[in-house]
Amino acid sequence: MSRFDRIIDRRNTNSVKWDTKGIFGAEDVLPMWVADMDFPTPDEVIEALKTRANHGILGYTMPGSDTEAAIRGWLKKRNNWEIDSSSITYSPGIVTALSMAIQAFTGPEDKIVIQPPVYYPFFEMAKKHKREVLYNHLRLTSDNRYDIDFEDLEEKLSDKMTKLFIFCNPHNPSGRVWRKEELIKIGELCVKHNVILLSDDIHSDLVLFDNQYTPIASINESIANQTITCIAPSKTFNLAGLQTSVVLIKNDTLRRKFNAVQELYGLMTVNTFGADAMEAAYKHGEVWLNELIHYLEDHILFIENYIKEKLPEVKVTRPDASYLVWFDVRYLQKSDEEIMELLLEKGKLALEPGSKFGENGAGFLRMNIACPKETLKDGLDRFVKALK
Ligand SMILES: Cc1ncc(COP(=O)(O)O)c(C=O)c1O
């Protein structure tokens, strides 16, 4: 029995994922949609939170040198990436950081490049800021993975008005970890065309099946100077509710611009509990994380066998990282609305429709598998019941 097998009831906890009535119009759906996990955070994190609560004073907080050392130590240990403390800055969340970056690095006439299908706030946030979005569509390969159309990417990056490229590594929704050769090309193109590269690496601690993740800013000095890297303990250790993320900006000029927007919105301090939790997670969470990674790998192998046996028409994209599985259900020849209706009404199951990630995601579904095995089996039974 794994520690991740324990089922914890999350209903009536103000959970975005589980208290679904307002979202799906029903309480009895099994939620396998938004990306948080049904696992408790490591014990050491809970202990750190208790220590802070027992201290009882929850005043304004700025992470100190111990927290910075924990972040640096974590990146060095996990990714062999050495960063300077001066490059560390904070944000409540990565979506907030995206928004601040758009404001800091683009003006009203500027354009932003993204690669759909991709995490939808990338384009939604750009549109909310009324920036023009250029779409470098990812291409589906014959083995049901995505690759990059570099010719098209260069065309979009070379547009004089393109100032920012929002990139996702590992990629959400497909779980692709980009190879070093691909990252070098991307970095070099951004340097060549002087486009700021925001690399959202929030899923990078969750690399599966011995895949190799490289932080793009670790490749060389010129790429590092062009890059803003977003990381967080939130996906890794299930701490999203604590609203504490890290934005790494080596280039002083870029960091000053970003800091100016943080100041504009009064976002220079961090959540007191979030800072303590982050420090404890990065210092003590590795054993827990390694166990989690194995647990998720077993889930994925189970899903592949289950689907092959029960619904072989569905193509499963094996994620290189994280806990989101991308299913190709285009054989159904139904719209995403029709598929969602089937899932919700016949299966009582909530997934993310592919079109939410961009038009070229239509006919796909994203399932969040970060749940105990029993819940996963239940979800797969519902999935097959709805689509068969
Ligand atoms: C790629 C990516 N970026 C950002 C986020 C959200 O980050 P935050 O909750 O810190 O805003 C998610 C959540 O699923 C994500 O997948």
Side-chain angles (χ1 to χ4, degrees):
M1 168 123 178
S2 158
R3 64 169 109 196
F4 301 108
D5 283 327
R6 183 154 68 100
I7 295 184
I8 300 175
D9 186 3
R10 296 184 64 190
R11 290 195 199 275
N12 301 313
T13 61
N14 294 336
S15 158
V16 169
K17 182 180 184 184
W18 279 86
D19 292 319
T20 52
K21 188 140 193 233
I23 298 163
F24 298 106
E27 274 164 352
D28 58 349
V29 295
L30 181 67
M32 300 179 87
W33 62 295
V34 66
D36 79 20
M37 308 198 273
D38 295 330
F39 306 129
T41 193
D43 290 343
E44 292 85 349
V45 174
I46 293 172
E47 281 312 312
L49 294 173
K50 283 183 183 165
T51 304
R52 177 64 77 163
N54 289 336
H55 183 246
I57 300 177
L58 303 173
Y60 293 117
T61 302
M62 255 328 282
S65 54
D66 284 355
T67 315
E68 285 172 3
I71 296 168
R72 294 175 63 213
W74 180 256
L75 293 174
K76 169 80 182 131
K77 189 155 40 146
R78 299 293 293 186
N79 306 322
N80 199 22
W81 186 24
E82 290 190 40
I83 58 151
D84 297 331
S85 289
S86 61
S87 68
I88 300 175
T89 182
Y90 300 94
S91 168
I94 302 302
V95 173
T96 314
L98 290 180
S99 182
M100 291 195 283
I102 292 169
Q103 179 135 5
F105 306 123
T106 69
E109 307 296 319
D110 293 335
K111 299 178 186 173
I112 298 173
V113 175
I114 60 144
Q115 297 180 306
V118 77
Y119 182 58
Y120 40 87
F122 285 17
F123 48 88
E124 283 176 356
M125 201 46 91
K127 286 182 188 164
K128 282 184 208 293
H129 282 272
K130 304 206 168 19
R131 305 298 191 251
E132 188 177 331
V133 182
L134 300 182
Y135 300 93
N136 170 232
H137 292 100
L138 294 177
R139 296 182 303 202
L140 202 58
T141 58
S142 55
D143 56 353
N144 226 36
R145 290 163 65 79
Y146 287 99
D147 75 2
I148 295 172
D149 180 345
F150 278 101
E151 221 173 282
D152 180 70
L153 180 63
E154 175 147 27
E155 196 186 307
K156 295 196 158 116
L157 293 177
S158 63
D159 184 310
K160 279 195 188 52
M161 298 317 287
T162 299
K163 295 287 154 54
L164 183 66
F165 172 27
I166 309 180
F167 175 59
C168 199
N169 183 32
H171 176 247
N172 174 9
S174 77
R176 176 89 151 67
V177 171
W178 301 104
R179 288 191 309 273
K180 193 164 178 187
E181 311 86 81
E182 294 167 313
L183 298 174
I184 292 171
K185 276 197 203 173
I186 289 174
E188 285 177 349
L189 285 176
C190 288
V191 172
K192 179 174 168 194
H193 297 292
N194 196 20
V195 172
I196 293 164
L197 172 61
L198 187 149
S199 190
D200 179 346
D201 294 17
I202 194 171
H203 294 278
S204 60
D205 290 324
L206 292 159
V207 174
L208 309 170
F209 302 114
D210 289 329
N211 282 293
Q212 188 58 49
Y213 154 79
T214 307
I216 195 164
S218 72
I219 289 175
N220 63 39
E221 196 74 1
S222 53
I223 296 176
N225 275 318
Q226 201 71 21
T227 304
I228 317 291
T229 307
C230 297
I231 58 163
S234 54
K235 290 276 164 278
T236 318
F237 299 102
N238 211 23
L239 300 172
L242 291 180
Q243 304 256 290
T244 305
S245 306
V246 179
V247 184
L248 302 168
I249 313 177
K250 184 177 168 56
N251 180 319
D252 292 336
T253 313
L254 297 185
R255 198 174 54 256
R256 271 197 291 275
K257 284 189 179 171
F258 188 82
N259 290 155
V261 179
Q262 284 174 312
E263 280 178 31
L264 183 67
Y265 295 115
L267 291 173
M268 294 84 66
T269 57
V270 298
N271 177 300
T272 310
F273 283 116
D276 288 354
M278 173 164 68
E279 187 178 321
Y282 284 154
K283 273 189 185 153
H284 309 295
E286 195 167 31
V287 171
W288 181 95
L289 176 60
N290 290 339
E291 270 180 54
L292 172 69
I293 286 172
H294 289 306
Y295 194 75
L296 295 173
E297 288 169 346
D298 279 350
H299 270 20
I300 290 160
L301 300 177
F302 180 82
I303 292 168
E304 287 175 346
N305 286 330
Y306 183 100
I307 295 293
K308 205 158 133 198
E309 193 185 312
K310 302 265 169 73
L311 203 55
E313 300 87 340
V314 173
K315 289 190 202 154
V316 183
T317 306
R318 178 186 285 201
D320 301 334
S322 208
Y323 50 77
L324 305 167
V325 176
W326 189 237
F327 292 111
D328 179 353
V329 296
R330 286 175 298 168
Y331 76 94
L332 288 171
Q333 301 201 321
K334 291 189 188 302
S335 70
D336 278 22
E337 291 72 28
E338 289 166 329
I339 298 169
M340 285 303 285
E341 203 173 302
L342 276 177
L343 287 170
L344 284 169
E345 282 174 19
K346 239 174 113 187
K348 299 276 176 207
L349 178 65
L351 305 183
E352 294 276 30
S355 53
K356 202 164 165 183
F357 301 85
E359 274 167 30
N360 57 342
F364 289 78
L365 291 165
R366 195 193 77 174
M367 179 186 273
N368 172 354
I369 61 156
C371 57
K373 183 74 170 274
E374 204 180 312
T375 313
L376 176 72
K377 286 182 181 162
D378 182 16
L380 290 171
D381 288 344
R382 291 170 190 242
F383 184 71
V384 170
K385 184 176 171 207
L387 300 189
K388 195 133 193 159

